Amino acid sequence: MTDEATAMDTRPTKIMYVAEATAHGGRDGYVTSQDGQIELKVAMPPELGGDGNGTNPEQLFAAGYSTCFHNALILVGNRSGYDLTGSTVAAKVGIGPNKQRGYGLAVALSVSLPVLDPDIAAKLVDQAHEVCPYSNATRGNIDVTILLG
């Protein structure tokens, strides 16, 4: 094991929950979850040559990342005794070609912590970025920019 792997091993030590979803037809089909909570039409966005008549993987990723990061932020805020009432996290997920002739993602998270001092808000955002499973999964794989406003 390398020093880097030892220093930052973010793999779970115990699986507490497993989500399951199935795609039918790729980007021009539909996606369902095993428990029936998700049943969505999926379509290519117009910017990628589709009709945009459905959601897409980038929107689903943005929804998941923003929700997960916001929960991590609330967790670290509560641990430190801060009230995060009125806070929000918005995610933008971009897709485009990469140098390996495939495609890659880039994420921009916009965090609003209106009731906190900016220095405290920045510390909580940094802590949330270390705790959030999406941040841990994407670290070193895709560009993630966090804007605090």
Side-chain angles (χ1 to χ4, degrees):
M1 188 178 289
T2 66
D3 290 335
E4 184 178 315
T6 303
M8 184 57 114
D9 187 353
T10 59
R11 294 173 295 182
T13 57
K14 174 184 172 185
I15 301 297
M16 298 168 56
Y17 168 73
V18 174
E20 185 177 338
T22 303
H24 310 265
R27 284 184 174 265
D28 286 311
Y30 64 99
V31 64
T32 59
S33 63
Q34 153 274 334
D35 63 1
Q37 293 295 315
I38 296 174
E39 192 169 319
L40 298 171
K41 181 177 177 3
V42 181
M44 283 274 223
E47 296 84 352
L48 298 179
D51 63 15
N53 262 345
T55 192
N56 59 65
E58 293 72 36
Q59 288 175 328
L60 295 170
F61 192 81
Y65 202 161
S66 63
T67 300
C68 192
F69 194 90
H70 195 206
N71 198 70
L73 192 59
I74 291 167
L75 175 74
V76 298
N78 287 341
R79 284 180 180 169
S80 299
Y82 295 107
D83 178 13
L84 300 186
T85 300
S87 64
T88 61
V89 176
K92 292 181 180 179
V93 175
I95 185 171
N98 64 23
K99 293 178 182 176
Q100 286 75 37
R101 299 181 57 184
Y103 291 85
L105 300 176
V107 174
L109 298 175
S110 296
V111 179
S112 174
L113 295 165
V115 298
L116 292 182
D117 171 89
D119 290 336
I120 293 170
K123 287 178 185 174
L124 292 178
V125 166
D126 288 344
Q127 291 172 10
H129 196 42
E130 295 300 317
V131 170
C132 175
Y134 274 67
S135 292
N136 287 329
T138 60
R139 188 171 288 109
N141 299 312
I142 66 174
D143 290 335
V144 177
T145 305
I146 302 175
L147 308 167
L148 183 57

